[in-house]
Amino acid sequence: MKLTAIPIAALLTAALLLCGACSARRAAGGGDSAAEAPAAATAPLFDADSAYAYVERLTAFGPRVPNTEAHRQAGDWLAATLRAHGWSVTEQQATLTAFDGTPLRARNILGQLNPEKADRLLLLAHWDCRPWADQDPDPARRHEPVPGANDGASGVGVLLEMARQLGTHPADLPGIDILFVDAEDWGTDNDEESWALGTRHFVNNPPLPGYRPAQAILLDMVGSPDARFGWEYFSQEANPALLRRIWSAAASLGHGKHFTTEFGGAVTDDHVELIKAGIPAVDIIDYRYSPSYQGFDPTWHTTADDMSNISPQTLRAVGETLMKIIEN
């Protein structure tokens, strides 16, 4: 993923929306940030240690760069794990062309719970790794692949733990899909269309006849101890109601430290491809926006994106919040 340049007027509109939301909370006596909301709600079942173990296992395969053996083995494990938790699995394989002409053997993995139900919520995360650490502070290491513990595996770990929990009582749930999407991170800043190749293929070539979720939630870089999930610009534009529901659920569970109502940037990520296809999507992504630092997690696209930067507490905040959304 990358940060997207958008017109100043649009940024001002987003800022006004955020200010309006904060003012409404102040008028209601709720404070001026999600972090001030009391932790009154009962947390749903979500085992953060289990989610951490999934992140660790996926990272242990090695960098999941398309066309590598680590990528193949990791994909096999993802599909098998979903099936083991009782999900119906459809795999979509395709050869996609990267911006530099490289043919990528890509693999999207779709798990479904209650596939007979028409109204569906799609939860997704990319599972591939960037082939070069172009943001590494050491220029000598910028040709190395990114380990992808936070950028990729963290979202997958949360969704695998959710799959484990939800698979124990599927009859009580709506139609839920989990998508592990491939070929997100083989992109260049010079070409907006070079990112999210797997999701673009997914929406243009549905793996199941007539498949179309009602809405979607994307997880990306959700494992850092210091993660701050602001209101991402395209998410606000496409699905403000769902965005507010998610952040309200997080606040009610005491996770406002991570789910803040500050501006979360305008990010070119998998959710943009869904939005283009008419599927209203929200991106939960770590982007820090403050006077002292503006940008993604400092390990983004570096060789330091390893398990040392993964916090079970942050995984819990995201997992419990999404479980609450489904519970409600």
Side-chain angles (χ1 to χ4, degrees):
M1 81 297 301
K2 68 178 287 288
L3 202 64
T4 302
I6 57 177
I8 294 295
L11 290 173
L12 290 174
T13 299
L16 289 171
L17 287 172
L18 289 175
C19 290
C22 294
S23 298
R25 274 192 297 277
R26 283 195 293 269
D32 62 359
S33 80
E36 297 179 12
T42 302
L45 287 176
F46 183 87
D47 188 331
D49 290 334
S50 176
Y52 182 93
Y54 284 130
V55 178
E56 188 173 44
R57 179 69 185 91
L58 183 56
T59 305
F61 284 104
R64 304 168 303 279
V65 176
N67 306 336
T68 65
E69 181 62 13
H71 180 269
R72 185 193 66 78
Q73 292 180 1
D76 289 347
W77 175 76
L78 288 173
T81 304
L82 277 178
R83 290 190 179 99
H85 294 324
W87 291 63
S88 173
V89 174
T90 300
E91 296 191 51
Q92 182 185 50
Q93 301 195 36
T95 299
L96 309 176
T97 303
F99 74 94
D100 57 1
T102 302
L104 307 179
R105 296 191 297 274
R107 183 178 184 183
N108 294 329
I109 301 167
L110 176 68
Q112 294 194 292
L113 206 61
N114 300 325
E116 74 283 357
K117 296 187 178 181
D119 189 17
R120 311 200 62 79
L121 170 65
L122 175 64
L123 309 172
L124 71 155
H126 81 88
W127 65 278
D128 61 306
C129 291
R130 187 155 178 79
W132 49 81
D134 51 299
Q135 300 298 315
D136 202 279
D138 181 356
R141 304 197 67 182
R142 290 176 186 170
H143 68 284
E144 298 179 28
V146 175
N150 191 31
D151 191 358
S154 63
V156 172
V158 169
L159 293 183
L160 283 176
E161 171 57 14
M162 291 181 67
R164 187 178 75 88
Q165 296 286 353
L166 297 172
T168 62
H169 53 283
D172 302 329
L173 297 169
I176 301 172
D177 300 321
I178 287 178
L179 174 64
F180 299 134
V181 70
D182 203 356
E184 187 275 334
D185 232 349
W186 198 306
T188 173
D189 289 345
N190 299 323
D191 182 2
E192 293 284 335
E193 298 299 309
S194 64
W195 306 87
L197 299 183
T199 304
R200 185 176 306 130
H201 181 78
F202 182 83
V203 297
N204 291 336
N205 305 273
L208 299 169
Y211 177 78
R212 186 177 181 83
Q215 50 191 345
I217 303 172
L218 170 65
L219 306 184
D220 203 346
M221 296 194 293
V222 294
S224 170
D226 302 318
R228 294 178 70 85
F229 311 120
W231 287 12
E232 191 273 333
Y233 173 76
F234 298 116
S235 304
Q236 293 180 60
E237 292 287 302
N239 201 338
L242 178 59
L243 185 147
R244 287 183 172 86
R245 281 182 57 208
I246 294 169
W247 266 250
S248 177
S252 75
L253 293 166
H255 298 317
K257 168 188 173 182
H258 296 296
F259 285 81
T260 72
T261 55
E262 62 198 17
F263 179 55
V267 183
T268 297
D269 207 349
D270 291 300
H271 70 307
V272 173
E273 294 300 320
L274 297 170
I275 292 169
K276 288 178 183 177
I279 301 168
V282 169
D283 192 4
I284 299 175
I285 186 168
D286 180 5
Y287 179 82
R288 293 95 185 271
Y289 191 86
S290 70
S292 59
Y293 181 84
Q294 295 180 19
F296 298 122
D297 180 90
T299 67
W300 173 69
H301 290 183
T302 74
T303 57
D305 183 8
D306 55 29
M307 290 303 298
S308 66
N309 192 42
I310 300 298
S311 163
Q313 288 71 34
T314 308
L315 300 177
R316 174 183 289 113
V318 177
E320 287 183 352
T321 297
L322 292 188
M323 292 291 283
K324 192 70 176 177
I325 291 295
I326 292 172
E327 179 184 278
N328 292 338

